[in-house]
């Protein structure tokens, strides 16, 4: 879905802008950071809702749990709530569209799907650490982890900015004074 | 000798053609004073340059009061905030003149953190005939002094001095975006992203916080203040604009910090134009009262709106500045242009409004005739004293000969800062590091 790709791209661009603004002369600009976080939030919401509609169009399952769209700039992004019943039809719908970056798409959704399809008991609700295998346009400096967070290595080549961004937390966008 | 001048010519043409402008020279604000006699510009390097209009002379009627450099001074220097390990930029964000009350001129200039009051005064006489020092300033040998004399004021070459009379600092945690002098000429406000402070021009160690929109939890922040201005006549009234596209009109006789006591101007969003970037493009970058005090003008990324102070639910007039950019918001986001903060300005009679755009274009809208024009500030396309030719951006389909297509617009050439003479049709337009002054055609 084009909206999906667009949303991912915008998320990627926004993250890089956010990183760049840290080194800007004059310090972090509150207004700019706020606007960036608003764009990221819309992109993230549209990304998730477009993926939801893809899921809904294929499966005949129960309606999705409502997305956490009321989050503020400082909140963590969350993965979609785990589905109560497994959706075996998902794989085929995801890989159906014949787009150039289909394999990447399918790969991404596979990884996310697996999380979705885990039974609630097994589903790890632990927030993933900031992506350490960062895409090459981001600075190589690793983000500091919150206590309790873990780093996870993403296999090279299979993961693009979009996937790691869904697990990226949006906190600390606005510096708290 | 000849070689020297040749080298200089080659260097000058090389520099001009390749436009090696240092970043410090980028003009960051322009402002006429209340009589229009002076024009001040501030730049990224913290300097202020003041131009003065030359007296119109009968012998040269075609030189209709041109503006020449009157004074240049370094207003702000880069500073370092040691507690936060942050550099404080010296860029001048705003300059506001005080109306003239005596022979000297006063202006307020501000960077991100500190406001300064500058006095610009002329000195054309100098005392001569000191007893203890000679004319060069060297101390005279006391044994050579045999008589007593009184120094006498003698004429000298005009010297213009700028001195910092007040420094208003340490009142803003966030970056100052605007300052505004009250019509009472005793107070002014300085505005940052979350707070507005009221100062007395005489008192630098104290200010009053009159607006504070900082939420208890910064993670709940949804809105920042983008600009504020005092009403031109009512000294108790001021307005501030927000990043959400709304304006609040505040009365200082009431508690402005409490929501609900203010007039709230906001137009509901058109759901059909919703996009990823709706919030960014609705953020107001400038707010200006009309000279009459009856209207407010706001500038957001794509439009200029005129509001009637009596009508809060929608603007009186909306003008499209460059609607052809609506389809390009994504690329403008990537190249950061979508964050550009354009200013807007009224003419003296409030009949025409002006604002800048890209490709060194600026736009004027006549509120009465509803006609608009796009002009360009560029040396290549207009010679001095030539009449500016209206420009047109071709939106789609066939491009006519003189039109420019949207894709060939130069987004690095933006006109963010413009100002209009308070009474006459003279405008000053800042195009990156160049200042253009345009006047009405002489008959």
């Amino acid at each position: 879905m084009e909206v999906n790709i667009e949303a991912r791209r915008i998320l990627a661009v926004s993250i890089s802008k956010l990183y760049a603004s840290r080194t800007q002369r004059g310090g972090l600009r509150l207004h700019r950071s706020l606007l960036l976080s608003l764009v990221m939030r819309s992109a993230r919401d549209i990304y998730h809702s477009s993926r939801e509609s893809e899921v809904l169009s294929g499966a005949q399952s129960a309606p999705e749990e409502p997305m956490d769209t009321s989050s503020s700039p400082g909140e963590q992004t969350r993965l979609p709530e785990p589905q109560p019943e497994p959706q075996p039809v998902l794989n085929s719908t995801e890989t159906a569209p014949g787009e150039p970056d289909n394999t990447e798409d399918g790969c991404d959704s596979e990884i996310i799907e697996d999380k979705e399809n885990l039974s609630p008991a097994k589903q790890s609700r632990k927030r993933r650490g900031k992506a350490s295998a960062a895409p090459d346009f981001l600075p190589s400096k690793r983000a500091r982890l919150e206590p309790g967070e873990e780093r996870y290595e993403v296999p090279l080549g299979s993961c693009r900015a979009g996937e790691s961004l869904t697990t990226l937390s949006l906190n600390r966008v606005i510096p708290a004074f | 000798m000849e070689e020297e001048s040749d080298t200089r010519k080659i260097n000058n043409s090389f520099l001009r053609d390749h436009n090696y402008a240092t970043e410090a020279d980028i003009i960051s604000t322009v402002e006429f004073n209340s009589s229009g006699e002076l024009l001040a510009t501030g730049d990224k390097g913290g300097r202020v340059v003041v131009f003065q209009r030359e007296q119109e002379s009968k012998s040269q009627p075609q030189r209709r009061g041109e503006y020449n450099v009157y004074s240049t001074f370094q207003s702000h220097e880069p500073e370092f905030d040691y507690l936060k390990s942050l550099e404080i930029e010296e860029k001048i964000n705003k300059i506001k003149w005080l109306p003239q009350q005596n022979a000297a001129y006063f202006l307020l200039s501000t960077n991100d953190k500190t406001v300064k009051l500058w006095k610009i005064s002329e000195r054309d006489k100098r005392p001569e005939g000191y007893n203890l020092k000679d004319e060069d300033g060297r101390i005279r040998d006391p044994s050579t002094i045999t008589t007593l004399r009184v120094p006498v004021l003698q004429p000298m070459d005009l010297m213009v001095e700028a001195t910092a009379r007040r420094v208003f600092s340490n009142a803003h945690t966030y970056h100052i975006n605007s300052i505004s002098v009250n019509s009472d000429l005793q107070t002014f406000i300085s505005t940052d992203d979350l707070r507005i402070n009221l100062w007395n021009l005489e008192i630098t160690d104290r200010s009053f916080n009159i607006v504070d929109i900082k939420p208890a939890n910064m993670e709940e922040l949804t809105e920042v203040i983008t600009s504020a201005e005092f009403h031109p006549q009512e000294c108790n009234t001021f307005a501030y604009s927000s990043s959400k596209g709304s304006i609040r009109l505040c009365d200082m006789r009431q508690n402005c910090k409490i929501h609900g006591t203010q007039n709230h101007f906001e137009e509901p969003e058109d759901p059909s134009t919703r996009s990823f970037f709706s919030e960014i493009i609705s953020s107001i970058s400038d707010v200006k009262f009309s000279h009459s005090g009856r209207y407010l003008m706001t500038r957001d990324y794509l439009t200029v709106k005129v509001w009637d102070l009596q009508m809060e639910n929608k603007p009186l007039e909306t003008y499209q500045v460059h609607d052809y950019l609506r389809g390009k918001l994504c690329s403008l986001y990537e190249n950061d242009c979508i964050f550009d903060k354009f200013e807007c300005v009224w003419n003296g009679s409030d009949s025409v409004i002006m604002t800048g755009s890209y490709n060194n274009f600026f736009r004027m809208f006549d509120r009465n005739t509803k006609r608009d024009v796009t002009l360009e500030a560029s040396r290549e396309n207009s010679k001095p004293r030539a009449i500016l030719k209206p420009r047109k951006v071709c939106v789609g389909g066939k491009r006519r000969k003189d039109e420019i297509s949207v894709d060939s617009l130069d987004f690095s050439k933006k006109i963010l800062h413009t100002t209009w003479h308070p009474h006459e049709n003279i405008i000053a337009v800042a195009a990156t590091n160049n200042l253009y002054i345009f006047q009405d055609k002489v008959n």
Side-chain angles (χ1 to χ4, degrees), chain B residues 15 47 117 137 150-152 162 176 191 197 222 226 240 250 262 304 317 324-325 339 344 346 361 379:
Chain B
L15 288 170
R47 283 169 307 207
L117 176 70
V150 176
V152 175
I176 297 175
T191 309
N197 292 333
T222 55
T226 52
Y240 69 89
C250 303
Q262 313 140 341
V304 190
E317 299 148 23
Y324 45 80
L325 296 182
F339 298 102
C344 53
W346 298 87
F361 287 170
R379 259 187 293 219

Side-chain angles (χ1 to χ4, degrees), chain B residues 143-156:
Chain B
S143 60
T144 64
I145 302 170
T146 52
T147 57
L148 196 62
R149 58 183 176 173
V150 176
V152 175
L153 287 175
Q154 299 287 356
M156 60 178 252

Side-chain angles (χ1 to χ4, degrees), chain B residues 210-436:
Chain B
I210 54 177
V211 174
D212 187 342
I213 64 167
K214 182 177 177 182
N217 182 1
M218 276 299 277
E219 293 187 350
E220 291 161 22
L221 181 75
T222 55
E223 189 177 18
V224 297
I225 302 173
T226 52
S227 185
E229 199 187 36
F230 264 118
H231 190 279
Q233 285 98 32
E234 291 168 32
C235 59
N236 53 284
T237 307
F238 67 94
Y240 69 89
S241 58
S242 85
S243 57
K244 271 191 173 170
S246 69
I247 309 104
R248 284 181 171 79
L249 195 65
C250 303
D251 184 335
M252 290 200 292
R253 296 169 299 190
Q254 295 174 322
N255 188 338
C256 309
K257 292 198 200 185
I258 301 174
H259 270 291
T261 59
Q262 313 140 341
N263 291 7
H264 186 182
F265 296 79
E266 191 168 19
E267 186 178 25
E269 192 195 348
D270 179 3
S272 64
T273 58
R274 182 123 185 81
S275 75
F276 287 116
F277 309 105
S278 297
E279 280 114 346
I280 301 189
I281 63 169
S282 63
S283 174
I284 294 176
S285 51
D286 195 18
V287 65
K288 291 263 166 53
F289 278 98
S290 64
H291 291 96
S292 62
R294 287 178 53 199
Y295 305 103
L296 257 180
M297 170 166 53
T298 58
R299 174 71 155 100
D300 52 55
Y301 191 63
L302 297 177
T303 69
V304 190
K305 294 180 179 159
V306 175
W307 302 76
D308 185 325
L309 291 188
Q310 311 294 326
M311 186 166 70
E312 296 174 35
N313 61 336
K314 63 184 170 95
L316 198 60
E317 299 148 23
T318 301
Y319 300 93
Q320 302 294 334
V321 182
H322 38 216
D323 202 53
Y324 45 80
L325 296 182
R326 199 178 282 273
K328 297 204 163 288
L329 293 180
C330 199
S331 0
L332 292 167
Y333 179 69
E334 286 175 36
N335 66 12
D336 267 0
C337 285
I338 207 174
F339 298 102
D340 287 335
K341 298 193 166 100
F342 291 95
E343 290 169 14
C344 53
V345 70
W346 298 87
N347 75 336
S349 58
D350 299 335
S351 58
V352 182
I353 56 181
M354 175 170 73
T355 188
S357 178
Y358 294 103
N359 209 74
N360 280 349
F361 287 170
F362 56 100
R363 304 260 282 138
M364 285 191 200
F365 302 91
D366 188 317
R367 296 178 60 218
N368 301 323
T369 64
K370 300 298 178 201
R371 288 212 319 253
D372 62 84
V373 69
T374 305
L375 300 169
E376 184 177 359
S378 116
R379 259 187 293 219
E380 290 86 32
N381 291 328
S382 55
K383 300 187 188 49
R385 302 192 190 291
I387 295 175
L388 285 178
K389 201 177 61 169
R391 315 290 292 167
K392 195 141 166 34
V393 177
C394 154
V395 184
K398 275 171 57 166
R399 187 180 76 88
R400 276 192 277 254
K401 196 166 75 97
D402 278 336
E403 289 182 355
I404 300 186
S405 72
V406 181
D407 296 313
S408 41
L409 291 174
D410 187 344
F411 290 96
S412 66
K413 294 189 180 156
K414 51 194 89 170
I415 292 184
L416 304 173
H417 314 288
T418 57
T419 183
W420 203 306
H421 189 289
H423 321 297
E424 298 183 38
N425 281 342
I426 305 174
I427 57 174
V429 168
T432 320
N433 59 321
N434 293 310
L435 180 71
Y436 290 82

Side-chain angles (χ1 to χ4, degrees), chain A residues 8-29:
Chain A
R8 275 206 338 238
R9 197 163 66 82
I10 289 173
L11 268 172
V13 168
S14 308
I15 299 283
S16 68
K17 284 190 193 298
L18 211 50
Y19 272 114
S21 64
R22 288 182 180 188
T23 53
Q24 221 173 34
R25 230 186 132 216
L28 268 173
R29 302 249 151 208

